[in-house]
Amino acid sequence: MTKHPRTLLIVSAALLALAAPVRAQQSTVFLSSQLRPVESAQIMRTQILKGYAGKVEFVPEQPAELVVRLQAEKQAGKSTISLVAGVHGELQPLVPAGILTPLDDVAATLKARGFAPELLALGKFGTDHQLMIPWMQATYVMVANKKALPYLPAGADINALTYAQLADWGAALQKATGKRLLGFPAGPTGLMHRFFEGFLLPSYTGGVVTTFKSPEAIVAWTEFAALWKFVTPNSTNINFMQEPLLTGDVWVGFDHIARVIDALTKQPNDFVTFPAPAGPKGRGWMPVLVGLSIPTGAPDVAGAKALIDHLTLPATQIITASTVGFFPVTSAALPPDLSPGMTLAVSAVQKTGAAKDGIATLLPVGLGAKSGEFDKIFLDTFQRVVLRGEKPDAVLARQGAALQALMAETGAPCWRPDPVSAGACQVK
Amino acid sequence: MTLRRGIFLSGIGVISAWVLLPIWLIAASAVGGQGQISAWPKPLWPAGGTLDGLASFLAIEGVWKATANSVAVALLTMAMAILLGAPAGYALARFNFRGANLFRVLVLMTRAFPVAILALPLTVSFIRFGVYDTAFGVALMHTTLALPFAVLVSASLFQAIPRELEEAAWVFGCTRWQAAMRVVLPLALPGIVATAIFAFVISWNEVFAASVLTVRNRTLTAYLLAVLSESPMHLQFAGGFLLIVPSVLFIFLVRKHLFAMWGIANR
């Protein structure tokens, strides 16, 4: 028995020796809050990064932890991460902390790629330097099962739907099938808040923050609460619209293109795609821009720049679009022979961007770590007005005060489509 | 008699169902394919058995590496928790020193702070110490989490071993060290093994520290949190199922020792 502790010691010493050298391997570490789902990450490694000469370690990371990690590495003065990818709003809090290095030289060398100027401008985050190079973009779309098409209200154009027509459509579906067949991703990790921030409210009020408690906003919430009677009650469990679409629990659903792509590629013959509905002020929609940045102190700046070059190549942009459903940010033209599922996805995004009555709405800008609270204000309003049936004017007055306090605290100026403001954006 | 027996049996039934039903539902969803997951009410028996979910889960790049990391971290945690915890427990049981009670409380305090608020400072200091993104670094963190159990459980184990046995060994010429090694340790061994296993399970299940402190060398739970949270449900269930299997098996194999730790069975 005396042997036992000694064996334990030997074993643990051996384990320590094993654990130590694991760190020493040279490759460019690429941390990304996008392409986290297993299949997308796999495609990233095997197809999108395939043509790249160097060695890349693609590490998917949850957005909140991505920010913590970059801050920690900056504070400790020793970095492992060479390239970081995230949505515009996720990288924003890293700007005031001085974590992103200027990439003006990269932007200059890549000029011939033909980046859309407004996307390139977003990459400056309101500073004088290019801190982020656009990588890919997406938006939110509507997907309908073809079985739902016969019930589309008479005279309605599916590509120019209004919220009133969507409600009529839902009512007709319920009358015909006895089930509530509209769907929204209001589950715990669903992206429902983006629907209010980028689609519903801009469509009805033409703004987001300034018009938060306007009479138009009260109309928006009242009508949406009425529409909810035709939305499946299971919506509060839906995080990814592709699953209920595939199982037939939802016939007409709204979600981020990356969260319906599975349904479109698996059963392209069963679905149609179209832009989100329009309200009295227009067709609110939210473009999502994913960009690439190099953190200060990155161990492999040359590798990171080479990787940016590779990811923005026309060929790579096309592979990215045809495999994971994120669209080119450059002038790369998509080939005509896309798979049927991808064609559905592409056409929905193109129709959304091209809509004549479109009101492009940015993701919240300048809220830093408080963007979660911003989202919560919209979700709380949704909870109270739509799910619990409280009076919208009282709820909006109260949530509007919370929103005003949040804007005053962060000092964030208005973003599109709210009109430009001198100081912090004000709730009118 | 029959009534009491009935209550007894239904009590057992309820408790078993409490533990087994969720595990069973996860297992059924892991092999039942997409249909099983969206079906409501849940069929208790999976409609169509398919191992696709499990297979595609195991084919995910990096799962095996993450599993190896998890095992390494858990073994390291187990070793360190025992090497540090058992002597501390022995000291608490055998010596009366000033601050012994304070020590008991302080040891528990390590569990009083949520790891989430420590994330940033922890990561910063781990980078500075050069243990960031290593199995050893994560094991250090997990040892801290497992130590309270290791110390307090082994203290009560040693307390239960009569001091007279040790004194008799001294009389027959053993030094203090020899007596502890040859007399006390063998008696306490089953309990110590159980404590070690507890440390193993704590480390195996811990996800937050593991995901904050690693980038490339993720443990399985941390890796799964990053990849699976936005993946199709059947893959999530496959991952969840494969994640519980090792700990359930492990606990099943050592259940006798676990009971010993809680003093239910005799040593």
Side-chain angles (χ1 to χ4, degrees):
Chain A
M1 270 304 159
T2 42
K3 268 189 189 158
H4 204 86
R6 218 173 294 158
T7 358
L8 207 63
L9 267 176
I10 292 167
V11 168
S12 50
L15 277 170
L16 282 181
L18 264 178
V22 179
R23 302 194 304 146
Q25 37 178 254
Q26 254 319 312
S27 56
T28 316
V29 179
F30 179 9
L31 196 69
S32 168
S33 71
Q34 299 301 305
L35 306 186
R36 273 180 295 149
V38 179
E39 290 104 335
S40 316
Q42 199 80 336
I43 288 170
M44 180 71 191
R45 295 187 183 108
T46 54
Q47 297 184 35
I48 300 175
L49 290 172
K50 197 173 148 204
Y52 178 66
K55 205 168 159 236
V56 187
E57 194 140 359
F58 179 71
V59 184
E61 176 82 283
Q62 316 246 45
E65 281 158 22
L66 179 126
V67 173
V68 169
R69 189 177 308 286
L70 288 168
Q71 283 171 339
E73 294 202 341
K74 158 107 179 162
Q75 273 186 32
K78 189 169 173 293
S79 292
T80 51
I81 294 146
S82 295
L83 186 63
V84 54
V87 167
H88 177 262
E90 287 164 2
L91 296 180
Q92 164 92 37
L94 302 172
V95 175
I99 291 173
L100 306 182
T101 52
L103 297 172
D104 298 304
D105 52 334
V106 181
T109 38
L110 296 181
K111 207 161 181 195
R113 297 278 150 87
F115 288 104
E118 72 274 13
L119 298 181
L120 213 50
L122 278 175
K124 291 190 172 175
F125 296 101
T127 67
D128 296 334
H129 294 288
Q130 193 73 39
L131 297 172
M132 176 185 96
I133 303 288
W135 173 22
M136 49 190 197
Q137 58 176 330
T139 185
Y140 297 74
V141 297
M142 302 284 298
V143 179
N145 195 312
K146 283 189 180 159
K147 286 188 280 188
L149 293 180
Y151 305 100
L152 196 63
D157 172 5
I158 193 166
N159 289 318
L161 214 59
T162 65
Y163 280 98
Q165 286 168 337
L166 180 65
D168 291 344
W169 194 3
L173 285 172
Q174 191 186 24
K175 208 173 144 203
T177 64
K179 284 191 278 189
R180 295 158 68 174
L181 289 171
L182 303 187
F184 285 90
T189 59
L191 296 171
M192 192 67 191
H193 44 282
R194 299 290 183 232
F195 172 73
F196 302 119
E197 296 160 10
F199 293 83
L200 183 74
L201 294 175
S203 298
Y204 275 85
T205 69
V208 181
V209 175
T210 52
T211 53
F212 184 82
K213 50 183 188 183
S214 61
E216 292 88 356
I218 295 174
V219 175
W221 285 105
T222 313
E223 292 194 9
F224 189 66
L227 183 148
W228 195 260
K229 294 196 182 68
F230 314 115
V231 173
T232 171
N234 206 20
S235 278
T236 47
N237 288 321
I238 298 176
N239 300 318
F240 283 70
M241 196 48 71
Q242 56 202 16
E243 284 160 21
L245 280 171
L246 281 172
T247 58
D249 292 332
V250 167
W251 283 13
V252 181
F254 166 93
D255 210 339
H256 190 292
I257 187 81
R259 293 178 173 216
V260 293
I261 200 87
D262 204 28
L264 300 182
T265 50
K266 275 195 181 132
Q267 299 175 9
N269 297 325
D270 292 355
F271 297 109
V272 292
T273 54
F274 50 100
K281 289 274 158 74
R283 194 174 303 277
W285 70 287
M286 186 181 262
V288 176
L289 174 65
V290 181
L292 300 161
S293 290
I294 301 182
T296 45
D300 185 12
V301 174
K305 286 184 177 171
L307 205 47
I308 293 180
D309 180 69
H310 173 76
L311 291 170
T312 53
L313 277 174
T316 319
Q317 292 269 308
I318 289 165
I319 294 177
T320 311
S322 56
T323 51
V324 292
F326 278 93
F327 297 89
V329 289
T330 63
S331 52
L334 288 172
D337 58 338
L338 283 175
S339 73
M342 284 301 161
T343 310
L344 280 176
V346 172
S347 71
V349 175
Q350 282 172 344
K351 278 184 275 185
T352 303
K356 285 193 191 70
D357 52 352
I359 303 175
T361 306
L362 290 186
L363 278 164
V365 182
L367 298 177
K370 298 275 180 187
S371 57
E373 284 173 41
F374 180 81
D375 297 340
K376 193 168 179 300
I377 288 171
F378 290 86
L379 288 175
D380 284 351
T381 312
F382 164 64
Q383 187 96 15
R384 295 176 60 178
V385 175
V386 178
L387 298 183
R388 285 195 227 145
E390 292 179 34
K391 283 232 178 314
D393 42 354
V395 175
L396 285 179
R398 190 137 171 204
Q399 296 293 330
L403 181 61
Q404 176 63 53
L406 181 69
M407 300 317 287
E409 194 187 333
T410 55
C414 296
W415 57 87
R416 281 199 318 195
D418 283 318
V420 177
S421 67
C425 204
Q426 303 289 324
V427 180
K428 299 240 167 73
Chain B
M1 152 72 194
T2 46
L3 181 67
R4 276 192 58 170
R5 193 158 171 79
I7 293 174
F8 178 67
L9 285 179
S10 52
I12 289 180
V14 167
I15 292 173
S16 308
W18 176 268
V19 176
L20 291 179
L21 198 64
I23 297 182
W24 171 248
L25 286 177
I26 290 176
S29 304
V31 299
Q34 297 242 355
Q36 167 84 12
I37 288 149
S38 49
W40 189 264
K42 287 255 173 286
L44 272 186
W45 193 251
T50 162
L51 296 178
D52 288 358
L54 294 175
S56 49
F57 170 78
L58 289 176
I60 298 172
E61 197 172 308
V63 161
W64 290 106
K65 189 183 160 207
T67 311
N69 278 332
S70 250
V71 171
V73 169
L75 288 177
L76 273 171
T77 305
M78 194 167 101
M80 290 196 289
I82 292 306
L83 286 179
L84 295 171
Y90 183 81
L92 272 180
R94 284 291 184 263
F95 305 111
N96 285 319
F97 55 93
R98 270 176 59 178
N101 281 327
L102 183 68
F103 176 73
R104 276 170 205 267
V105 176
L106 281 182
V107 129
L108 273 180
M109 288 291 281
T110 56
R111 300 229 54 155
F113 301 101
V115 187
I117 58 165
L118 298 175
L120 185 61
L122 258 182
T123 314
V124 172
S125 36
F126 269 59
I127 295 174
R128 290 198 176 134
F129 294 144
V131 289
Y132 175 63
D133 198 19
T134 61
F136 177 66
V138 181
L140 267 186
M141 185 65 212
H142 287 176
T143 306
T144 317
L145 297 176
L147 258 186
F149 294 103
V151 172
L152 298 181
V153 169
S154 57
S156 63
L157 277 173
F158 287 123
Q159 227 146 27
I161 296 166
R163 189 182 286 259
E164 289 77 10
L165 290 178
E166 218 173 334
E167 286 168 353
W170 300 344
V171 169
F172 289 116
C174 278
T175 61
R176 177 138 214 157
W177 171 252
Q178 282 171 326
M181 284 297 129
R182 297 191 176 195
V183 177
V184 182
L185 196 66
L187 286 171
L189 205 59
I192 290 186
V193 170
T195 318
I197 280 146
F198 216 66
F200 185 97
V201 174
I202 287 179
S203 164
W204 180 270
N205 289 339
E206 203 282 334
V207 56
F208 189 84
S211 52
V212 171
L213 297 176
T214 53
V215 182
R216 281 174 286 185
N217 301 303
R218 294 260 152 107
T219 64
L220 191 56
T221 41
Y223 190 75
L224 291 185
L225 185 75
V227 252
L228 274 190
S229 57
E230 295 202 345
S231 298
M233 289 297 268
H234 67 288
L235 270 185
Q236 296 192 15
F237 276 109
F241 179 62
L242 287 181
L243 207 58
I244 18 183
V245 168
S247 12
V248 169
L249 269 185
F250 212 55
I251 290 188
F252 188 75
L253 289 177
V254 299
R255 62 195 185 283
K256 251 163 98 182
H257 301 301
L258 269 184
F259 292 147
M261 178 170 87
W262 293 323
I264 298 168
N266 273 327
R267 270 188 286 275

